[in-house]
Amino acid sequence: MDSRRMIAVIVLVPVLVSLALWAFAWPAARTAPHDLPLGVAGPPTAVAQVEQRLTQREGAFEIHRYADEDAARDAVEERTVYGAVIAGDRGPKLLTASAAGPAVAQLLQQAVTGQASASGTPVQVVDVVPAPEADPRGAAFGASVLPLALAGIATGTVTTLLGLRGARAVAALVGAAGLTGLVAAAIAHSWLGVVTGDWWAVAGVFGLSTLAVGAGIAGLGALLGRAGLGLGGAVMMLLGNPFSGASSAPEMLPQPAGAIGQWLPSGAGASLLRSVSFFDGAAAAGPALTLTWWAVLGLGAVLLGGALRQRARGDSPAPDRAPAPAAAA
């Protein structure tokens, strides 16, 4: 028995290291635009030239045409595109939104200015939705994903290991997530200033993100036991965190990593936080729905697992019976 355990440890550790390196290093090593939404506007001839230069990088950009600069600016503010190139007689103008991802804004600036410099025309760059001054590179924003994931994993794991079942487990998960949201908003919004927007909306996003992770972990634990806890923790850590795109953008990750990340709580939470903090809630419906489904399904699994375990132990209350008739005197 001891020999088998020793062999299991020797084999398991390299496997886990390989998975972690793949999950974290692969997206970082392949960071590049993949169908990144980018707008163009201006006279048809000039727009065609801009599109021709942009499409030289096959698969890098997804081009959206707009009638004029105002329409393109609205698209940036609504998070339909990450930026827009306005073609004109005096040279191109680039609209960016560093709040949507400073790395993306920098990449667009390099791509557009690099092409324009070849023809000797200057490029005017306008940051339509700038990142907060306290976090111009988005480093603190990206770093907020891991603590929230850890908080959710810890909440779900502790709730399960303490033996909380049914309504008590749900109350513990919701209460811990709500308090986590308030604390996270106090730190990130009030103290550090790395997120802006409505304080209560930001706290709600932090809380919902934590609840989605915690409920998912606890739900798997309620249905599958300790194996469920391990599976849920691995998915949230090895896929949710590196595939979230919080430090750049989902379209900057190799596919299908970017798409997978948006279906997991960490990626959806990061996207929702950007929308609520910097874009007045634009494009918030999709990630909000994803987090809500994780929370609802996870809490439902917690209740179901508790009911199944209670029934298996024979603790279900017996059905009401009519009282036996009194014996005749």
Side-chain angles (χ1 to χ4, degrees):
M1 181 64 69
D2 290 339
S3 298
R4 292 181 180 178
R5 292 177 179 177
M6 180 184 68
I7 294 174
V9 171
I10 292 174
V11 173
L12 183 60
V13 171
V15 170
L16 291 177
V17 171
S18 299
L19 288 174
L21 285 175
W22 167 79
F24 284 87
W26 171 58
R30 297 291 186 269
T31 299
H34 300 87
D35 292 325
L36 186 77
L38 179 64
V40 292
T45 303
V47 166
Q49 294 176 352
V50 171
E51 288 186 355
Q52 183 179 6
R53 289 194 294 265
L54 291 173
T55 53
Q56 290 177 357
R57 301 177 62 176
E58 185 177 357
F61 300 105
E62 179 185 278
I63 305 300
H64 296 246
R65 284 195 176 192
Y66 296 100
D68 51 30
E69 180 178 346
D70 290 338
R73 183 183 292 266
D74 290 340
V76 174
E77 293 175 346
E78 294 170 359
R79 301 201 69 188
T80 304
V81 294
Y82 283 90
V85 181
I86 313 301
D89 298 334
R90 299 181 180 180
K93 177 190 292 187
L94 174 63
L95 306 180
T96 64
S98 58
V104 178
Q106 184 178 6
L107 179 142
L108 292 177
Q109 185 172 350
Q110 291 174 349
V112 175
T113 57
Q115 294 174 355
S117 62
S119 59
T121 56
V123 178
Q124 180 184 0
V125 180
V126 179
D127 197 347
V128 177
V129 187
E133 295 182 359
D135 188 30
R137 297 182 179 179
F141 184 94
S144 66
V145 173
L146 181 58
L148 289 177
L150 291 176
I153 293 173
T155 301
T157 301
V158 171
T159 299
T160 302
L161 295 180
L162 288 179
L164 297 177
R165 302 283 183 265
R168 290 187 177 182
V170 170
L173 291 167
V174 174
L179 185 58
T180 300
L182 296 177
V183 172
I187 295 174
H189 190 292
S190 302
W191 178 33
L192 298 178
V194 298
V195 293
T196 57
D198 182 77
W199 193 95
W200 289 104
V202 169
V205 173
F206 281 132
L208 182 58
S209 300
T210 305
L211 179 61
V213 176
I217 297 289
L220 288 172
L223 296 177
L224 303 177
R226 292 181 182 269
L229 295 179
L231 175 62
V235 169
M236 297 302 179
M237 282 299 299
L238 296 181
L239 297 181
N241 189 53
F243 290 4
S244 67
S247 59
S248 55
E251 293 84 359
M252 293 291 288
L253 301 178
Q255 295 303 323
I260 293 173
Q262 293 306 296
W263 284 103
L264 295 174
S266 294
S271 296
L272 181 59
L273 185 61
R274 285 194 189 278
S275 293
V276 169
S277 299
F278 310 126
F279 293 88
D280 294 328
L289 184 60
T290 299
L291 291 176
T292 301
W293 273 112
W294 272 95
V296 170
L297 293 177
L299 294 178
V302 169
L303 294 175
L304 176 61
L308 293 175
R309 182 162 302 191
Q310 186 180 29
R311 179 176 299 179
R313 291 179 178 179
D315 293 336
S316 298
D320 294 336
R321 296 179 179 176

